[in-house]
Amino acid sequence: MTHEDLWMGIVNLARWKKVSCSGLARLSGLDSTTFNKSKRVNRDGSPHWPSTYTIARVLNATGITLAQFATFVPNGCARNQRRRS
């Protein structure tokens, strides 16, 4: 999973909930700018990954599980799970 994949998962979840990314942030009790494109990259140009706290807030607000969230992530782990021997 890449940085872009994870952020696209958030975008896809917002679309599924029929809200904007800022609407999803507000629904989750976060600042409305949390998911702005400008906040996806740090000042030094390195990728800014959403924290586990942020993801947990989104999951709780939308009532979905982490496994369900993975279905919104392109190339997500739910699609690429391998059976363990």
Side-chain angles (χ1 to χ4, degrees), residues 22-36:
S22 60
L24 181 62
R26 285 191 302 273
L27 178 69
S28 303
L30 302 166
D31 184 273
S32 63
T33 64
T34 300
F35 301 137
N36 283 3

Side-chain angles (χ1 to χ4, degrees), residues 3 7 36-48:
H3 173 259
W7 279 106
N36 283 3
K37 287 183 180 182
S38 63
K39 294 200 173 182
R40 298 176 191 184
V41 178
N42 293 316
R43 291 181 192 174
D44 65 0
S46 63
H48 173 79

Side-chain angles (χ1 to χ4, degrees), residues 3 5 14-15 17-19 24 27-28 31-32 46 49 53 58 60 63-64 68-69 71 74-75 85:
H3 173 259
D5 289 340
R15 288 179 182 155
K17 293 299 285 183
K18 295 182 176 34
V19 296
L24 181 62
L27 178 69
S28 303
D31 184 273
S32 63
S46 63
W49 292 76
Y53 171 82
V58 170
N60 289 330
I64 67 169
Q68 290 168 320
F69 174 70
T71 67
N75 305 310
S85 307

Side-chain angles (χ1 to χ4, degrees), residues 62-82:
T62 58
I64 67 169
T65 66
L66 185 57
Q68 290 168 320
F69 174 70
T71 67
F72 292 96
V73 178
N75 305 310
C77 56
R79 294 186 185 107
N80 296 324
Q81 285 183 345
R82 294 183 182 158

